[in-house]
C-alpha cells in the first residue's frame, strides 16, 4: 500500500473525566491493528520459546494478544507511565512469569535488556503516540476537549510540564515547536499571543490556552481540519515528552537487539513518527558495501528485510469503531541472518 499524504495531526477523542478503573479503561482501549500485528509476529514466535519487547506497553492490549497466541513467548513490557503499568499489571496477572514489566523510556532498551539478562530479542513492538488512558484522565491535560491543568507528561514523576514550556520558552522556540511537531501554519501568531498573554498571567489550565489558539486561527481555517487546537496540543505533547528524539534513539537499539529472523512492528499515528520509522527501516534494509565493489563485504549486507510495502492502514470498519485507528500507519521488518 502506498504512503499516505495525510496531515500530521492525530485524532482527538473525548472521554469521561476522572481516573478510570481497570475494567472500563480496558474496555475503552481497543488495540489498533491487533490481528495484523499478531500475524506479522507469527513466523518469529510460533512453536518455540521466544522473547518480545513491547517498548510502549500502554494497558497491555497487544501484549495480551501475543501471550495468548504464542504459549512460548515471554514479554518484557516497558512504559514510562506509572498508571499504565499499574493497569497492565492487573490485566496481565494471569500470565505470571511470562510477563516482566519495567518503568522506563523506550530509548533505554540496551540498559533494560541488560538488567533483564536478555541478550537478543525475537520481536519488538512499538505502539506510539498518546493512549486512550492518557486522554481519559482529565488531570493529565492531554485533551483540548475539556479544561484541565496543562501537564501532558507521560511520566508524571519527572520533567517539565506543558505549562512550563508555554510560560518559559522564547517566542522563537515556541514557533519552532509548533511548526516542527505540529506543522501549524499559524505558529508565529499563536507564539506571539502566548508571549503577550503570559505577561498578564502565566498559563495553568487548558481552557484559556484553547481560547487563545481559537482566536489566532482565522475563521476560514477553522472550518476544515478539525479543532484548531489539535496541532498545537500535539506539538506541545511531543516537546514535553521528547517523543521524536526518544524514537530516533530507540529504533536503532531495537534493530540491533533483534536475533536473526526476529521481527519489529511499529504503529505510528502521525507523519512525523512514520517518517522517522521509514528512514531507519530504509537505511537498515540497504547494503553498506561500496557500490563499486563486485562482492558484498562481510558484515556490510542489509540488516532488515521489509515486510510491508510502504505503510499499512486500518480498514474502514476498524477506523469507524476505533477513532485512534483512523490515523495509524504500520511498518514491519525482519532481521536478516548474518552470513559468516
Amino acid at each position: 500500500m502506498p504512503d499516505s499524504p495525510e496531515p500530521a495531526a492525530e485524532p482527538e477523542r473525548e472521554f469521561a473525566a476522572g481516573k478510570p478503573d481497570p475494567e472500563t479503561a480496558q474496555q475503552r482501549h481497543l488495540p489498533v491493528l491487533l490481528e495484523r500485528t499478531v500475524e506479522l509476529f507469527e513466523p518469529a514466535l510460533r512453536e518455540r520459546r521466544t522473547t518480545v519487547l513491547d517498548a510502549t506497553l500502554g494497558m497491555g492490549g497487544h501484549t495480551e494478544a501475543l501471550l495468548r497466541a504464542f504459549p512460548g513467548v515471554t514479554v518484557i513490557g516497558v512504559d514510562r507511565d506509572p498508571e499504565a503499568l499499574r493497569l497492565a499489571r492487573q490485566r496481565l496477572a494471569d500470565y505470571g512469569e511470562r510477563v516482566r514489566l519495567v518503568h522506563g523510556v523506550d530509548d533505554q532498551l540496551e540498559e533494560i535488556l541488560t538488567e533483564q539478562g536478555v541478550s537478543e530479542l525475537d520481536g519488538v513492538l512499538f505502539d506510539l503516540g498518546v493512549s486512550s488512558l492518557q486522554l481519559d484522565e482529565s488531570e493529565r491535560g492531554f485533551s483540548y476537549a475539556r479544561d484541565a491543568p496543562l501537564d501532558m507528561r507521560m511520566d508524571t514523576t519527572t520533567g517539565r510540564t506543558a505549562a512550563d514550556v508555554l510560560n518559559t520558552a522564547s517566542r522563537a522556540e515556541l514557533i519552532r515547536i509548533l511548526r516542527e511537531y505540529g506543522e501549524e501554519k499559524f505558529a508565529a501568531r499563536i507564539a506571539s499571543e502566548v508571549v503577550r498573554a503570559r505577561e498578564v498571567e502565566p498559563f495553568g489550565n487548558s481552557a484559556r490556552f484553547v481560547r487563545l489558539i481559537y482566536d489566532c486561527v482565522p475563521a476560514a481555517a477553522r472550518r476544515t481540519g478539525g479543532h484548531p487546537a489539535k496541532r498545537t496540543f500535539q506539538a506541545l505533547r511531543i516537546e514535553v515528552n521528547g517523543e521524536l528524539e526518544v524514537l530516533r534513539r530507540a529504533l536503532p537499539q531495537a534493530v540491533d537487539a533483534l536475533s536473526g529472523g526476529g521481527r519489529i512492528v511499529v504503529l505510528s499515528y502521525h507523519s512525523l513518527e512514520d517518517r522517522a520509522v521509514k528512514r531507519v527501516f530504509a537505511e537498515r534494509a540497504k547494503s553498506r558495501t561500496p557500490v563499486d565493489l563486485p562482492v558484498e563485504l562481510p558484515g556490510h549486507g542489509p540488516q532488515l528485510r521489509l515486510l510491508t510495502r510502504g505503510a499499512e492502514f486500518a480498514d474502514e470498519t476498524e477506523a469507524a469503531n476505533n477513532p485512534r485507528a483512523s490515523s495509524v500507519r504500520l511498518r514491519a521488518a525482519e532481521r536478516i541472518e548474518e552470513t559468516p
Side-chain angles (χ1 to χ4, degrees):
M1 188 176 293
D3 292 336
S4 169
E6 294 172 6
E10 299 165 314
E12 174 86 1
R13 181 179 179 184
E14 184 155 1
F15 295 90
K19 183 166 289 193
D21 65 75
E23 287 190 10
T24 56
Q26 290 167 21
Q27 289 166 359
R28 274 198 293 265
H29 175 69
L30 300 175
V32 176
L33 290 175
L34 186 61
E35 292 183 6
R36 179 58 173 152
T37 299
V38 172
E39 177 187 23
L40 284 164
F41 277 121
E42 195 267 344
L45 305 182
R46 65 188 174 206
E47 299 177 356
R48 64 189 184 97
R49 293 196 176 278
T50 53
T51 303
V52 169
L53 180 81
D54 187 341
T56 49
L57 178 70
M59 283 183 284
H62 287 98
T63 281
E64 184 178 37
L66 294 175
L67 291 164
R68 189 167 53 242
F70 308 111
V73 73
T74 295
V75 179
I76 302 170
V78 180
D79 207 286
R80 66 169 81 183
D81 188 335
E83 181 64 11
L85 286 171
R86 182 184 72 82
L87 294 174
R89 184 171 286 109
Q90 295 180 11
R91 178 180 198 156
L92 304 172
D94 291 344
Y95 294 95
E97 295 182 356
R98 294 177 61 202
V99 182
R100 309 181 200 173
L101 302 187
V102 179
H103 181 221
V105 185
D106 48 11
D107 65 345
Q108 301 167 343
L109 300 188
E110 292 178 356
E111 297 94 322
I112 290 169
L113 294 181
T114 299
E115 291 171 359
Q116 294 294 319
V118 174
S119 58
E120 286 186 324
L121 295 167
D122 302 285
V124 179
L125 172 66
F126 289 87
D127 184 15
L128 303 170
V130 66
S131 72
S132 54
L133 166 67
Q134 289 155 346
L135 286 171
D136 210 11
E137 296 184 26
S138 57
E139 66 269 23
R140 303 287 291 273
F142 286 99
S143 174
Y144 49 74
R146 54 186 177 268
D147 191 27
L150 282 164
D151 192 316
M152 297 194 192
R153 292 172 299 167
M154 292 178 176
D155 183 351
T156 55
T157 66
T158 187
R160 59 178 183 166
T161 67
D164 293 333
V165 174
L166 288 176
N167 291 326
T168 62
S170 67
R171 177 180 179 275
E173 183 67 3
L174 288 171
I175 292 173
R176 182 197 65 79
I177 291 168
L178 299 188
R179 283 180 176 166
E180 184 175 345
Y181 299 150
E183 299 183 349
E184 174 55 65
K185 297 178 182 178
F186 304 102
R189 187 180 302 183
I190 293 170
S192 296
E193 285 303 304
V194 166
V195 171
R196 183 196 60 77
R198 74 190 185 191
E199 292 177 356
V200 177
E201 180 185 355
F203 286 94
N205 277 34
S206 58
R208 175 175 170 236
F209 183 46
V210 171
R211 286 196 299 271
L212 181 150
I213 299 167
Y214 191 87
D215 291 341
C216 287
V217 176
R222 294 199 298 262
R223 298 190 188 105
T224 59
H227 197 287
K230 71 178 182 180
R231 293 181 182 276
T232 295
F233 267 62
Q234 173 184 295
L236 271 179
R237 191 203 78 222
I238 291 173
E239 171 68 17
V240 166
N241 296 289
E243 292 175 41
L244 290 175
E245 290 82 1
V246 167
L247 179 62
R248 289 167 185 147
R249 292 191 295 266
L251 286 169
Q253 294 180 44
V255 174
D256 290 341
L258 283 174
S259 61
R263 294 188 165 200
I264 178 170
V265 177
V266 184
L267 288 79
S268 57
Y269 295 88
H270 57 74
S271 60
L272 302 174
E273 292 173 339
D274 183 57
R275 204 174 299 152
V277 177
K278 179 181 179 181
R279 183 178 299 115
V280 170
F281 279 17
E283 289 173 355
R284 296 298 187 104
K286 292 188 302 187
S287 170
R288 290 163 292 157
T289 296
V291 293
D292 56 344
L293 292 184
V295 295
E296 191 83 72
L297 290 176
H300 285 65
Q303 295 178 313
L304 292 179
R305 178 174 68 90
L306 303 184
L307 300 173
T308 54
R309 187 177 177 183
E312 294 184 359
F313 304 88
D315 61 28
E316 292 181 0
T317 301
E318 180 172 2
N321 292 330
N322 185 3
R324 191 165 183 254
S326 64
S327 61
V328 71
R329 298 161 170 84
L330 180 150
R331 294 181 188 268
E334 181 180 73
R335 183 68 188 257
I336 297 173
E337 296 270 7
E338 290 188 13
T339 56

